[in-house]
Amino acid sequence: MTQTCGFVAIVGRPNVGKSTLMNRILGQKVSITSRRPQTTRHQVMGIKTEDDAQFIYVDTPGIHIQTRDRNKAINRFMNQAASQALRDVDCVVFIVDRTRWSDEDQVVLERLEHVKAPVILAVNKVDRLQDKRALLPWLDSVGARRDFAAIVPVSAKHGTNVPELEAEVAKHLSEGPHHFPDDQITDKSQRFLAAELVREKIMRQLGDELPYQMTVEIEEFRDEGKVVHISALILVERAGQKKILIGENGERIKTIGREARLEMERLLDAKVMLNLWVKVKRGWSDNERALKSLGYHLD
């Protein structure tokens, strides 16, 4: 049989379930998730190979309107990363949240005006709709906004209609050889995934208390076979943020470390010795040179 392969950009405003959808499709966690907007900061590639078809999904940061408080270098980087992912793809999956249509959804739609690839609209979180009867009229109205290749109501969390969405994506793959080995799941290194897991646990613990001026850098990643030694540096911008992160008697940082370590052990299938450090680095999130040194650069 002829092999098919294609790049599929997953786009949408912040917090609509892009990472949850990709993890559901892959059957394992590649992108971190939390209830906080803008959890995803990088393009993260998820690769799924089934028989002769290879789907290369690109999870992207949420495209957002840059206001005064969201106009730092890191916000600009995230919007650029999302826009870059739209180049040269075979298909786009545009995710929206139920029957809501916000100004940021409109911004994403406008970004897609010049995209030549077919766009599939995935209406997510339909399991949480109070009145299911409102869905069909809304699908008709949103369908008038663009000539979508398909409109598929889904629940990324529970998997509802996700196979149907994948079947629609499969129609737009191109004939050609696979770009990655059949057993490869992502283009990201274990080192990158370890840093992301620490950041996920921080955001889940402190999403309401700690602003987005926080990042994680892996300073040591030493694989000794049965044991992996990891040292992670958590950067914040103010001393008060450091205090919140560490918690009383260090309890909060211990909880974050324990949760991250357990998930790393599942990911790496090895015992993990994890050390966390917290350091204040003022202004890193609005300093392009600092961002590049911390791994925030476009592929």
Side-chain angles (χ1 to χ4, degrees), residues 269-296:
D269 194 23
K271 184 175 176 60
V272 171
M273 302 295 288
L274 175 64
N275 289 310
L276 299 181
W277 312 93
V278 186
K279 180 181 177 181
V280 177
K281 186 178 177 71
R282 298 186 184 280
W284 72 265
S285 65
D286 202 22
N287 184 315
E288 292 187 2
R289 181 178 292 180
L291 285 172
K292 287 180 180 177
S293 73
L294 292 166
Y296 291 88

Side-chain angles (χ1 to χ4, degrees), residues 75-271:
N75 297 100
R76 295 193 294 273
F77 166 83
M78 288 190 286
N79 269 347
Q80 289 166 7
S83 295
Q84 187 198 56
L86 294 170
R87 299 176 192 166
D88 303 321
V89 292
D90 296 88
C91 178
V92 176
V93 175
F94 172 24
I95 304 185
V96 295
D97 183 348
R98 289 167 282 180
T99 54
R100 302 172 182 173
W101 187 270
S102 69
D103 291 342
E104 288 187 324
D105 291 316
Q106 186 63 32
V107 167
V108 179
L109 184 67
E110 290 168 4
R111 293 275 182 97
L112 296 173
E113 283 181 2
H114 306 294
V115 174
K116 295 179 181 178
V119 178
I120 297 169
L121 183 70
V123 182
N124 193 24
K125 306 181 186 179
V126 293
D127 55 301
R128 290 164 57 180
L129 271 177
Q130 297 295 321
D131 183 5
K132 298 289 194 291
R133 294 171 299 178
L135 183 59
L136 284 176
W138 190 82
L139 293 179
D140 287 338
S141 67
V142 79
R145 294 177 183 268
R146 182 191 170 106
D147 184 17
F148 293 106
I151 301 176
V152 186
V154 300
S155 169
K157 183 177 180 180
H158 298 289
T160 308
N161 283 349
V162 171
E164 287 78 359
L165 176 62
E166 292 181 81
E168 291 294 339
V169 171
K171 296 176 183 178
H172 305 292
L173 302 185
S174 304
E175 286 190 9
H178 296 172
H179 291 290
F180 296 94
D182 288 358
D183 60 351
Q184 186 168 344
I185 298 294
T186 183
D187 65 325
K188 295 301 185 185
S189 67
Q190 292 178 335
R191 192 183 190 102
F192 173 87
L193 296 174
E196 288 288 271
L197 285 175
V198 174
R199 194 164 62 80
E200 177 190 68
K201 303 312 174 193
I202 294 169
M203 294 193 74
R204 289 187 175 188
Q205 280 271 332
L206 294 165
D208 293 323
E209 294 179 67
L210 192 68
Y212 292 97
Q213 294 92 355
M214 173 274 299
T215 195
V216 179
E217 182 179 22
I218 300 297
E219 294 194 313
E220 179 191 35
F221 191 103
R222 183 161 42 90
D223 189 346
E224 295 182 346
K226 292 184 178 180
V227 181
V228 181
H229 296 266
I230 300 173
S231 294
L233 177 65
I234 304 166
L235 294 178
V236 294
E237 296 205 333
R238 296 194 297 275
Q241 295 169 350
K242 179 177 179 179
K243 186 176 180 181
I244 290 171
L245 187 51
I246 292 172
E248 190 171 348
N249 298 320
E251 287 303 315
R252 186 166 274 153
I253 197 73
K254 287 177 187 174
T255 300
I256 290 165
R258 181 171 60 253
E259 292 179 356
R261 177 180 56 78
L262 291 172
E263 195 145 355
M264 288 176 190
E265 289 180 340
R266 287 193 290 270
L267 171 72
L268 302 172
D269 194 23
K271 184 175 176 60

